[in-house]
Amino acid sequence: MASHRVRAIAISLAVALAPIGAGAVWAQNTPAPTAASLQATIAAAAQSAAQQPGFAQRTPAQKLAAIQAAISAALAASGASPTVIAAALIQAVSSGTVSAGVAIQVAAAVAPEMAQQVASAPAVTQQLAATGQSATVTQTAATDAGGAPSVLVSLAGVASTSTGGDAATGAGGGTTTVTPAPYDPCAGVIAAYCGS
């Protein structure tokens, strides 16, 4: 009789603990996000932003805000470390999925301690130079509620230059005026969403 009771208790414990054990095994088998695995996340988020009604008719600043918000939310939800997020953003710029300015803005939002690293990565600086755009990252002394540094990002598009005189002959004593353009989040991006 006692052996039946012991066996019944053992079976009850085994049944009760089985879901916990299975959950622990599942958690251990879920791989941590990598820069490569986040490429699909970044591309899908940018694509979802571009599918919003009227995206093609928005100003560059509105496009930038929509793309940045979508990618930032997706990366924040991924649970990836700031280092992995930075590497993923640099890789996304290198592959033409997102523009350099978008990558820097996203880094400042979800991995502020890595924003400068993203901004100075060769793929990012090359893409900025190739499109005639610029980005400046400034880390302020203030920190947010979580203790992360506060980062300000300034993006500028291709500046247009005009002269008041004859540029070929120098006649007329023309003055050079440089007009900064808004940053274009689609410049240098090969993803289909920016072409529509």
Side-chain angles (χ1 to χ4, degrees):
M1 202 63 175
S3 67
H4 290 296
R5 233 181 257 151
V6 170
R7 187 178 299 154
I9 291 170
I11 291 172
S12 297
L13 283 173
V15 170
L17 295 176
I20 295 170
V25 169
W26 180 82
Q28 290 172 354
N29 290 335
T30 303
T34 64
S37 71
L38 288 175
Q39 295 310 297
T41 301
I42 292 169
Q47 186 67 42
S48 72
Q51 289 174 344
Q52 295 173 6
F55 180 83
Q57 288 75 41
R58 293 182 183 183
T59 66
Q62 291 169 331
K63 288 181 180 180
L64 176 62
I67 296 169
Q68 176 200 338
I71 296 173
S72 294
L75 289 178
S78 74
S81 70
T83 304
V84 170
I85 288 174
L89 290 168
I90 293 166
Q91 189 173 336
V93 171
S94 181
S95 65
T97 303
V98 296
S99 68
V102 169
I104 296 167
Q105 288 276 68
V106 170
V110 295
E113 63 273 31
M114 304 303 286
Q116 186 59 57
Q117 180 181 331
V118 171
S120 59
V124 174
T125 57
Q126 288 168 8
Q127 200 257 4
L128 285 168
T131 56
Q133 302 187 100
S134 65
T136 305
V137 175
T138 307
Q139 184 171 326
T140 66
T143 58
D144 64 16
S150 179
V151 176
L152 301 174
V153 177
S154 174
L155 302 174
V158 179
S160 60
T161 306
S162 62
T163 58
D166 185 342
T169 63
T175 58
T176 301
T177 311
V178 178
T179 308
Y183 182 84
D184 180 3
C186 291
V189 176
I190 58 172
Y193 67 87
C194 274
S196 60

